[in-house]
Amino acid sequence: MADDTTPRAAVALAKTRSPHLVDPATIPGWGVDADRDNDPTYPMRDQSRDVGLTRDWDRPAGQMPDVEILQSIEHVRRPAVVGTSSPPSGVSGMMRRAAFRWSESNWLHWLLLLGADRVNVVEGVVEDLAQARIPNIPAETGIRAQIAFNKRGLAKKTVVTAGIAALAVGLIATRRGRGEGASDNVA
């Protein structure tokens, strides 16, 4: 137990008696979860009767999803609850299915999943265009947040992207120049 004569206890006591303290009852919404009878999450937080995991623990009934769920080969069974909001589909889905044939300890598993995410972005843009919707790619990439909070990172990405684009254009122009010169020599 803390000694009330210590400097730390004196500071804490002074803070609790401060005239600058705000009365929480005057703040709208403050203490909305204080009433345990009116808190829907309280029964889950009440662990006074929870004995923990034992041999007699009953596994909760598993969710029966109506979409394909990809599962790691390291696990024998799925967790009781799984995500069903974005089932695998298209080329990205094929890449994800291929990824889950590999162990999570294999880099190919993660590389395929990363690639599938990028392919899924392109699939989304194509899907938008197919529905006659023009995607707002700058807004979807969070450019406003980049401008507001990470100008240096945005400038770096812009320079790198411009450099890669200039390199690609230069390589294409060089190849075309070689191709035209080779055809001149033949004729």
Side-chain angles (χ1 to χ4, degrees), residues 32-47:
V32 292
D33 56 348
D35 182 11
R36 291 181 174 181
D37 294 333
N38 192 26
D39 183 0
T41 64
Y42 181 70
M44 289 183 280
R45 289 188 285 147
D46 180 16
Q47 298 178 347

Side-chain angles (χ1 to χ4, degrees), residues 70-92:
L70 298 174
Q71 181 176 342
S72 170
I73 60 173
E74 275 92 8
H75 301 284
V76 177
R77 60 183 171 209
R78 290 185 194 140
V81 179
V82 294
T84 60
S85 63
S86 56
S89 64
V91 175
S92 63

Side-chain angles (χ1 to χ4, degrees), residues 1-10:
M1 182 162 218
D3 185 10
D4 287 345
T5 60
T6 64
R8 192 176 197 175

